[in-house]
Amino acid sequence: MYTNDWRIPADTKGSPHWAADLTAAEFAARGVNVLDGDLPLPLCVLREAALAKNSDAMARFVREAGHDVLLAPHGKTTMIPQLFHRQLETGSWGLSLANHHQVRVARSAGVSRIVLANQLVEPAEIDYVLDELARDPDFDFYCFADSVDGVAMLTERATRHSTTRPIQVFVEAGIDRGRCGVRTIDAAVTVGRAVVDAAPHLRLVGVAGYEGILQTSERREQLINDYLSFLGDVAIGCDGAGLFADAERVLLSAGGSAFYDRVIAMLADLPLSRPSRIVLRSGCYLAHDDGFYSRFATDLLRRDQLARRTDLSFEPALEIWSSVLSTPEPDRVVVSAGRRDFGEDAVRPAVIKHARRATSVPDRLDTAHHTIVAVYDQHAVIDVPDGHNLRVGDRIALSPGHPCTTFDKWRAIHLVDDAYIVRDVLATYF
Amino acid sequence: MYTNDWRIPADTKGSPHWAADLTAAEFAARGVNVLDGDLPLPLCVLREAALAKNSDAMARFVREAGHDVLLAPHGKTTMIPQLFHRQLETGSWGLSLANHHQVRVARSAGVSRIVLANQLVEPAEIDYVLDELARDPDFDFYCFADSVDGVAMLTERATRHSTTRPIQVFVEAGIDRGRCGVRTIDAAVTVGRAVVDAAPHLRLVGVAGYEGILQTSERREQLINDYLSFLGDVAIGCDGAGLFADAERVLLSAGGSAFYDRVIAMLADLPLSRPSRIVLRSGCYLAHDDGFYSRFATDLLRRDQLARRTDLSFEPALEIWSSVLSTPEPDRVVVSAGRRDFGEDAVRPAVIKHARRATSVPDRLDTAHHTIVAVYDQHAVIDVPDGHNLRVGDRIALSPGHPCTTFDKWRAIHLVDDAYIVRDVLATYF
C-alpha cells in the first residue's frame, strides 16, 4: 500500500479524465508534459530535482551535526507516504506526526518509528497504539504528555491492554500564552513522575517542545533562545529528580524548520546524569517554499557555522500551475488557482513562471513585479507590470509561501522532471 | 457512483480504522454515536436537521420570488454529489460550479444542467465539455466569457468538434479592481457580438456577474447596488445591440449567499426586448455558518420583505468535533483541530458545545466567553472564562465561520441526527 501502485481515483483534481483507475506508474509511463495542455488546471507539481537537493542538504547537515543529533522529520507537512520513505531512506531516525489520523497513515505505509509530537487523549486512539505495539514488535512509538490527567488516560488504557510493551513518553514543555506543554519545571517533574510511576505501562524517555510558534514574533531570536533555555532547564530538573534513572539516554526533542540550529546549540551540552540525544522534527525543508521558510533559511545560513560549512540550502519544490482566465485591466490578470489550491496563511505565493499557450518551455517572471493582490476560493488576482506579455490561455506557475497549507489542498501531486514531464503521481492522505 | 454505495478509504480522517472499505451505508447501519468515543477526532459532522431546514427555507424563498427567479446553487461550497442531488430535488434549476474539475465531478454524479460560473480557456477542458454535449443530449451547459480571446478559444475548439450543440455563453461583467468580467458596456457588447458571430458553435444566453467580492467592504450595500445597476445596464446594452435577437429569453445571473435579494430587486424588471429570468448562484445557504454568512443573513432578513414573509432563516449545519488536549493555563485550553480542519479565511469558528469525556449528550457553551485566540495547522487555542469546567479528554464542537473553506478540509463528512448518531457518510470531491 502507498506506493506507485495506487490507482488514481476518477475526477481527481489536476488529473485528466482518462487517468481514472490508472496506477500512478501507468500514468507516469505515458510521459505526459504538464505544459502540453493535456492536463486540467490548476494542478500541483513537485520538482524532483529540488526534492533531491533539499533531501540531500538536510541529510548532510544532520550527519555532520554529529551522532547525537537525529532527525524525525514532521510528516504532517506532506502526508505523502512515498516521501516518508524517502526521508527514512536518507538517514532519518523516525517520523514525527501530529495526530492519530497521521499515525495511522504512516503505519499503513509501514513506518516503524513514530514520534506523535502531541498529546494522546482519546481512548480509541490510545487503544489503536496499544494494538499496534502488541501486533508489531518493530513498532517504536513515542508521544508527548503535559498533564497528570493525560498520563492517567494513557495509563488507564494501557493497564487494560494485554501488550507488555510500554508507550514511550516525552514530557512536553510549552510557552506562556502558547500551545500545549507544561509552563514550569515543577509541573514537568510532576508529569514526568506520573509517567515513571505508570511503569511498566509507560516509560519516560525525555523532554520535548516546539519553538516554532515563536517564529512569527519580531523578537523571535531572543524568545526562542529563552524558550530553549527553559526546555533545557526542564530536562535538567527532571534529571535531578531522578526521573531518568532507568534510561540509557535522555531524548531532547524540538525543532521546526527555522531554528533547528539553535535547538542543537542550546540542547547539545546539558549537564545531565547520562548521555542525551537531540531529535529534530523539521518537516518543511523537503519542499521548502517561496516566502515563509525561505526567509528563515537565509537567516539560519547567516547565523550557523555548520550550515555554512555543509552548504545548507534549499529550493522551493512545489509549483501550482494555473491558467490566465482574464486580463480585465491593463495591470491585472486573473488566474485559475485560489485558496483551495495553495496556502495563504503565512505569505501568498510568488508568481514565478509563465508558459505561452501551446508551448511547453516556461520562462521566468520577475517576481518583484508580478504580485498576487487578491485571493478567492478558486481565483487569484495578480498585479502585472506595464508592457506585460500575458494573454488569456497562458499558464502561470505560483510558488507557495508555506508548504504545509499547500500540500493539503491536493489529493494527487505530480512529480516532474526539469522538462515538466510527469515521472510519478503522489497520493496525499490528509 | 457518488451515492452511499461509495466505500470509505482506509485511513480517512475522521473515520475509525475498522471503517476501511465499508460502504457509507454499511457504516451508517452500525448506528455509531459521534460522541461515544468510537471515532477518532477531529471529525466533521453535518447536522441533518439543519440541512433540511436550510434547504427548505431557500426553496421556499425562491419559489415565492416568482417563476422568473431560478436557483443554480454553487456546488463548489460542498463538492458533495449527494448534496448536489438534494439541491436539485428541492427545486433548483441547475448547479453552478467554478472550474473543470468540479464540472467533471458533477457530470460523474449525473447532474444535467451546469453553469460553469467562470471563464473556460484550456483546450482539453473545452474539449471535455464538447464531448459531453455530443455524448449526452440532456446535458445543458453554460459558461462565462469576458474577452474576445476567450471566445475565440471556445470557438476554435468547437469548430473542430463534431457536436452540433452549442456551448451556451453568458457575457461576464465585472467590478473595477475586482476579478474576471468586462469593465464597460462597450466591452460587453464586443464580447457578446463575438459569441453571436460564433454561431452555431456558441450561443449567447445572457449576462452574468458576481457581487460577492464586494461583501467585505464597509460600503457593501452601496457598492453592490452600483454594481448590480451596471450589470443591468450591460444587459440593456447587449439587448439594444441586438445580441439577444435569437433568444427566447435573456438569462441574468448573479448572487452569492449574502445579497441575492438585491440581485432580484435590481435585475427583475429591466427594460429588455424579451422576457428575462434571474439565475441565482448562492451556495452557502445549505450549510450556513457561524460568523460570515450568518451576519449577512440577519441583514438580509431586516432588509427584504419577501425574506421576512417566507421566514427565511438558516442555522449552521457544520460542526468540527475535537478533543481537549491540554489545559496549560487557567484561562486557556488547547483542542485537536486546526486550520487543516476548518476555514479561518473569513472568521474563526465559534466554540459552541462541550461533551464531557464518556458522555454522549453535549451541552452548549457560552460562545461569547469561549474564543479561539490562536490557530495552528493541527491545534486551536481557546480562551475560556474563570471557573470553566473543561478537562483534558473532553470534547469541544467548533462551528465554522465560513463553510467553503471547511468542507474542503475533509474527504468524508458524517451526517448525524440530533442525537449525534451517524446516518450517512458523505464523500467530498475536492
Side-chain angles (χ1 to χ4, degrees):
Chain A
M1 190 173 185
Y2 300 152
T3 66
N4 66 0
D5 289 341
W6 74 284
R7 289 186 184 277
I8 300 169
D11 303 329
T12 298
K13 185 171 71 160
S15 287
H17 59 88
W18 49 264
D21 293 326
L22 293 184
T23 66
E26 287 165 351
F27 183 84
R30 307 235 178 156
V32 177
N33 188 310
V34 164
L35 302 179
D36 269 353
D38 294 328
L39 304 184
L41 299 185
L43 64 72
C44 180
V45 305
L46 258 176
R47 292 187 312 108
E48 169 60 35
L51 273 188
K53 176 187 168 171
N54 298 343
S55 179
D56 288 351
M58 193 65 165
R60 197 165 56 238
F61 175 82
V62 171
R63 200 166 54 237
E64 294 291 316
H67 68 280
D68 293 336
V69 177
L70 306 169
L71 179 64
H74 215 310
K76 73 157 188 163
T77 300
T78 72
M79 287 307 291
I80 296 176
Q82 283 162 275
L83 297 184
F84 296 169
H85 285 295
R86 180 181 198 126
Q87 290 173 304
L88 292 166
E89 286 156 13
T90 52
S92 297
W93 173 74
L95 196 71
S96 296
L97 294 160
N99 58 31
H100 164 81
H101 163 67
Q102 297 177 358
V103 170
R104 251 173 54 204
V105 171
R107 289 299 293 159
S108 292
V111 175
S112 288
R113 182 177 288 119
I114 290 175
V115 178
L116 172 55
N118 208 346
Q119 311 295 311
L120 178 60
V121 302
E122 283 291 327
E125 299 175 13
I126 300 168
D127 289 349
Y128 168 82
V129 167
L130 293 164
D131 288 344
E132 284 292 282
L133 286 170
R135 186 180 68 77
D136 178 2
D138 290 331
F139 183 34
D140 191 20
F141 178 82
Y142 305 78
C143 69
F144 293 0
D146 76 350
S147 70
V148 171
D149 277 359
V151 172
M153 288 173 201
L154 292 174
T155 308
E156 189 231 347
R157 301 312 298 180
T159 53
R160 292 177 180 218
H161 201 279
S162 62
T163 183
T164 56
R165 302 178 58 213
I167 295 177
Q168 301 172 95
V169 178
F170 289 85
V171 172
E172 182 174 3
I175 292 165
D176 284 344
R177 310 316 276 164
R179 214 159 74 181
C180 301
V182 296
R183 305 304 200 235
T184 66
I185 298 171
D186 283 353
V189 170
T190 303
V191 173
R193 196 177 307 282
V195 175
V196 170
D197 289 347
H201 303 295
L202 308 185
R203 179 191 294 155
L204 186 69
V205 296
V207 303
Y210 178 57
E211 78 293 342
I213 66 169
L214 298 167
Q215 281 165 194
T216 51
S217 164
E218 290 196 6
R219 295 174 53 228
R220 64 181 75 91
E221 303 227 351
Q222 183 60 50
L223 292 173
I224 285 171
N225 273 356
D226 292 349
Y227 169 63
L228 292 172
S229 174
F230 167 65
L231 198 58
D233 289 343
V234 167
I236 293 165
C238 290
D239 187 51
L243 300 181
F244 300 127
D246 293 337
E248 197 174 321
R249 58 175 66 84
V250 177
L251 297 180
L252 308 168
S253 182
S257 298
F259 286 90
Y260 45 90
D261 62 316
R262 298 305 306 155
V263 172
I264 296 171
M266 299 286 292
L267 300 181
D269 297 305
L270 298 181
L272 300 175
S273 65
R274 58 211 66 227
S276 63
R277 284 189 158 183
I278 294 171
V279 179
L280 300 176
R281 304 197 307 276
S282 322
C284 293
Y285 71 90
L286 190 62
H288 202 53
D289 66 29
D290 222 326
F292 194 62
Y293 286 109
S294 56
R295 188 186 52 170
F296 292 131
T298 309
D299 290 348
L300 191 150
L301 203 61
R302 182 166 38 73
R303 191 169 63 214
D304 189 69
Q305 197 180 0
L306 176 62
R308 287 197 303 277
R309 182 158 61 75
T310 60
D311 194 19
L312 185 73
S313 71
F314 306 107
E315 59 181 73
L318 279 170
E319 294 176 358
I320 308 299
W321 281 87
S322 61
S323 308
V324 175
L325 295 176
S326 180
T327 58
E329 298 179 30
D331 58 350
R332 291 203 157 177
V333 306
V334 183
V335 299
S336 65
R339 70 165 67 91
R340 284 173 152 184
D341 307 303
F342 54 74
E344 50 153 4
D345 59 301
V347 191
R348 285 175 174 164
V351 182
I352 58 164
K353 291 178 188 170
H354 163 245
R356 177 74 69 212
R357 190 178 182 190
T359 65
S360 58
V361 179
D363 43 76
R364 289 225 156 241
L365 289 172
D366 173 3
T367 56
H369 293 98
H370 295 77
T371 311
I372 295 179
V373 291
V375 173
Y376 302 97
D377 284 359
Q378 322 277 174
H379 299 82
V381 181
I382 302 174
D383 258 12
V384 291
D386 278 353
H388 76 84
N389 191 23
L390 307 178
R391 298 184 208 151
V392 171
D394 288 357
R395 284 112 187 193
I396 296 284
L398 309 176
S399 182
H402 182 193
C404 295
T405 49
T406 298
F407 278 106
D408 63 13
K409 305 297 187 290
W410 298 88
R411 300 188 187 192
I413 293 182
H414 294 76
L415 188 74
V416 297
D417 65 18
D418 286 341
Y420 285 94
I421 293 169
V422 177
R423 295 306 184 186
D424 200 354
V425 187
L426 308 177
T428 69
Y429 292 85
F430 287 99
Chain B
M1 187 171 190
Y2 300 152
T3 65
N4 65 0
D5 289 341
W6 76 284
R7 289 186 184 278
I8 299 168
D11 303 329
T12 297
K13 185 170 73 162
S15 287
H17 58 90
W18 49 264
D21 294 325
L22 293 183
T23 66
E26 287 165 352
F27 183 85
R30 307 233 178 156
V32 176
N33 189 310
V34 164
L35 302 179
D36 269 353
D38 294 328
L39 303 184
L41 299 185
L43 64 73
C44 179
V45 305
L46 259 176
R47 295 188 308 108
E48 170 59 36
L51 273 187
K53 175 187 168 172
N54 298 345
S55 179
D56 288 352
M58 193 63 165
R60 197 165 57 237
F61 175 82
V62 171
R63 200 168 53 238
E64 294 292 317
H67 68 282
D68 294 336
V69 176
L70 306 168
L71 179 64
H74 215 311
K76 72 156 189 164
T77 300
T78 72
M79 287 307 291
I80 296 176
Q82 283 162 275
L83 297 184
F84 296 169
H85 285 294
R86 182 183 196 127
Q87 290 173 304
L88 291 166
E89 286 155 13
T90 52
S92 296
W93 173 74
L95 194 72
S96 297
L97 294 159
N99 59 30
H100 164 81
H101 164 67
Q102 297 178 358
V103 170
R104 253 174 54 206
V105 171
R107 289 299 294 159
S108 293
V111 175
S112 288
R113 183 177 288 120
I114 290 175
V115 178
L116 172 55
N118 208 345
Q119 311 294 312
L120 177 59
V121 302
E122 283 291 328
E125 300 174 12
I126 300 169
D127 289 348
Y128 168 81
V129 167
L130 293 164
D131 288 345
E132 284 292 282
L133 286 170
R135 188 180 67 77
D136 178 2
D138 290 331
F139 183 33
D140 191 19
F141 178 81
Y142 304 79
C143 69
F144 293 0
D146 75 351
S147 71
V148 171
D149 277 359
V151 173
M153 288 173 200
L154 292 174
T155 308
E156 188 231 347
R157 302 312 298 180
T159 52
R160 292 177 181 217
H161 202 280
S162 62
T163 183
T164 56
R165 301 178 59 213
I167 295 178
Q168 300 172 95
V169 179
F170 289 85
V171 171
E172 181 175 4
I175 292 164
D176 284 343
R177 311 315 277 164
R179 215 160 73 180
C180 300
V182 296
R183 305 305 200 234
T184 66
I185 297 171
D186 283 352
V189 170
T190 302
V191 173
R193 195 176 308 281
V195 175
V196 170
D197 289 347
H201 304 295
L202 309 184
R203 180 190 293 157
L204 186 70
V205 296
V207 302
Y210 178 57
E211 79 292 344
I213 66 170
L214 298 167
Q215 280 165 194
T216 51
S217 164
E218 289 198 6
R219 296 174 51 228
R220 65 182 74 92
E221 303 227 351
Q222 182 60 49
L223 292 174
I224 285 171
N225 273 356
D226 292 349
Y227 169 64
L228 292 172
S229 174
F230 167 65
L231 197 58
D233 289 343
V234 167
I236 293 166
C238 289
D239 187 50
L243 300 181
F244 300 127
D246 292 337
E248 198 173 321
R249 57 173 68 84
V250 178
L251 298 180
L252 307 169
S253 181
S257 298
F259 285 90
Y260 45 90
D261 62 317
R262 297 304 306 153
V263 172
I264 296 172
M266 299 286 292
L267 299 181
D269 296 305
L270 298 181
L272 300 175
S273 66
R274 59 211 65 225
S276 63
R277 284 188 157 182
I278 294 171
V279 179
L280 301 176
R281 304 197 307 276
S282 322
C284 293
Y285 70 90
L286 191 61
H288 202 55
D289 66 29
D290 223 324
F292 193 62
Y293 286 109
S294 56
R295 186 187 53 169
F296 292 132
T298 308
D299 290 347
L300 192 150
L301 203 61
R302 183 167 36 76
R303 192 169 61 215
D304 189 71
Q305 197 179 2
L306 177 62
R308 287 196 303 277
R309 183 158 60 76
T310 61
D311 193 19
L312 184 72
S313 70
F314 305 108
E315 59 181 72
L318 280 170
E319 294 177 358
I320 309 298
W321 280 87
S322 61
S323 307
V324 175
L325 295 176
S326 180
T327 57
E329 300 179 30
D331 57 350
R332 291 203 156 176
V333 306
V334 183
V335 299
S336 64
R339 69 165 68 90
R340 284 173 153 184
D341 307 303
F342 55 74
E344 50 154 2
D345 58 301
V347 190
R348 286 175 173 163
V351 182
I352 59 165
K353 292 179 188 170
H354 164 246
R356 178 74 70 212
R357 191 177 182 191
T359 65
S360 58
V361 179
D363 44 75
R364 291 227 154 238
L365 289 173
D366 173 1
T367 58
H369 292 98
H370 296 77
T371 311
I372 295 179
V373 291
V375 174
Y376 302 97
D377 284 358
Q378 321 279 174
H379 300 82
V381 181
I382 302 174
D383 257 14
V384 292
D386 278 354
H388 75 83
N389 191 24
L390 308 178
R391 300 184 205 149
V392 170
D394 288 358
R395 284 111 187 197
I396 296 285
L398 309 176
S399 182
H402 182 193
C404 295
T405 50
T406 298
F407 278 105
D408 63 13
K409 305 299 187 288
W410 298 88
R411 301 187 188 193
I413 293 181
H414 294 76
L415 187 73
V416 298
D417 65 17
D418 286 341
Y420 285 93
I421 293 169
V422 176
R423 296 306 183 185
D424 199 354
V425 187
L426 308 177
T428 70
Y429 291 85
F430 288 99

